[in-house]
Amino acid sequence: MTTVASFNVNGIRAARRRGFDDWLAGRGLDVLALQELRCNPDSLGVVDGFHVAADHGRIPGRNGVALLTRRAPSAVRTWSSHPPRARGLGAYAHEGRYIEADLAGVPLTVACLYLPKGGLPADLQRPGNMREQPDGGAKHARKMRFLDGFARELDRNRRAALAAGREFLLLGDLNLAHLPHDVTNWRAARKMEGFLPEERQWLDSQLGPRRLVDVVRALHGDRPGPLSWWSWAGESFTKDVGWRIDHHLATPRLARTARSVTVDKEASPEHRLSDHAPVVVEYDLDELSGQEAERVDGGLRML
């Protein structure tokens, strides 16, 4: 089995002070996608047992993504080294939001995304009922522009991987919940950023039997959870009132190799590494490699 995790660390230096390295040393991961590094390249440093590929971006103390793999990947692409081709994404290329790598010895491309949080559209903004000052919907519009461009970029990258004989897996904090089962108080969340109808529709349009599969939902079934984010405030963590916004989205053939999902929620608030928890999926990539070999021997190209 190959163990793959996605984890928004909400600042890698803070997560390390809270015990990130101990968690990683004992978890037995093969691939780890990190979001919100919030550090410069020197601060991430060496991670024992892993090859590290990262895009920290050029905004001090913000964003940053990384892929940690047991074996050195055969290729790595970031928006810093390979600018996104989809119109509208160029403005985000310096922010440290996307990285992808072709794994060595396995026909698989793994991508990591940290999607902008966004905000409320102007018609839902109510002064006095918001943590931030009303902005006339500017942050919401910026997120929707990102989503519009990224839909094209994601489709292009997925197709490029498949054309090269590799499956494709998108990991990351998408700052989006898809279904009512993904939010504890989903009725109230319908007027909150991250669960707005247009955001949910965007994610819905990325999924399908010929596109991408929500691996966690497929494994967990049609029931509430598993949640992956809880506010630092109040008793959200203790009462398990949160959202599922950290995702594994896989091409259908890869999704069929997924065997189990676990969210590494800490036992108590004082042991939290981040406001997110790692989402860990076991994939039987031997099965994937076997399918690849059969197709090659039979003279067929993997679609």
Side-chain angles (χ1 to χ4, degrees), residues 13-211:
R13 288 170 294 187
R16 278 182 151 166
R17 289 194 298 270
R18 298 178 180 126
F20 170 85
D21 290 291
D22 289 340
W23 166 80
L24 182 59
R27 195 56 178 84
L29 299 178
D30 298 292
V31 178
L32 173 60
L34 298 176
Q35 306 89 46
E36 272 203 281
L37 298 174
R38 295 188 177 188
C39 70
N40 59 42
D42 293 337
S43 297
L44 180 56
V46 175
V47 181
D48 289 342
F50 288 91
H51 295 270
V52 179
D55 185 355
H56 297 267
R58 298 201 300 269
I59 306 176
R62 297 279 303 279
N63 309 326
V65 291
L67 285 170
L68 280 59
T69 56
R70 290 290 184 181
R71 299 176 62 184
S74 58
V76 174
R77 294 171 290 276
T78 72
W79 282 354
S80 296
S81 61
H82 296 74
R85 291 168 288 176
R87 182 168 44 182
L89 283 186
Y92 307 88
H94 69 285
E95 294 185 0
R97 293 195 177 275
Y98 184 84
I99 185 171
E100 67 176 36
D102 301 334
L103 299 190
V106 180
L108 175 61
T109 295
V110 178
C112 174
L113 172 69
Y114 177 50
L115 201 146
K117 181 177 183 295
L120 291 173
D123 62 297
L124 292 180
Q125 295 191 6
R126 301 287 184 270
N129 293 332
M130 300 174 59
R131 295 179 182 176
E132 303 175 355
Q133 289 296 319
D135 65 356
K139 290 181 180 178
H140 174 71
R142 186 174 189 271
K143 182 177 185 177
M144 296 310 296
R145 288 194 299 271
F146 184 98
L147 290 175
D148 183 57
F150 189 70
R152 296 189 295 273
E153 189 75 5
L154 176 60
D155 189 60
R156 182 180 288 119
N157 293 350
R158 175 182 61 85
R159 290 175 179 271
L162 293 173
R166 298 188 300 269
E167 297 301 310
F168 184 85
L169 175 63
L170 178 66
L171 305 168
D173 174 6
L174 304 191
N175 272 307
L176 295 174
H178 187 211
L179 302 172
H181 284 331
D182 297 329
V183 184
T184 303
N185 297 319
W186 67 270
R187 289 181 176 84
R190 289 178 295 181
K191 294 187 178 181
M192 297 179 183
E193 65 265 26
F195 200 63
L196 298 169
E198 58 269 33
E199 295 174 314
R200 297 170 61 196
Q201 176 57 42
W202 180 87
L203 185 50
D204 192 61
S205 68
Q206 308 314 309
L207 304 177
R210 295 182 179 274
R211 296 174 65 85

Side-chain angles (χ1 to χ4, degrees), residues 3 15 25 44 64 88 149 155 165 187 195 227 232 256 261 271 281 285 287:
T3 308
L44 180 56
D155 189 60
R187 289 181 176 84
F195 200 63
L227 307 178
W232 289 113
R256 289 195 291 270
V261 57
H271 293 105
V281 175
L285 296 188
E287 178 181 320

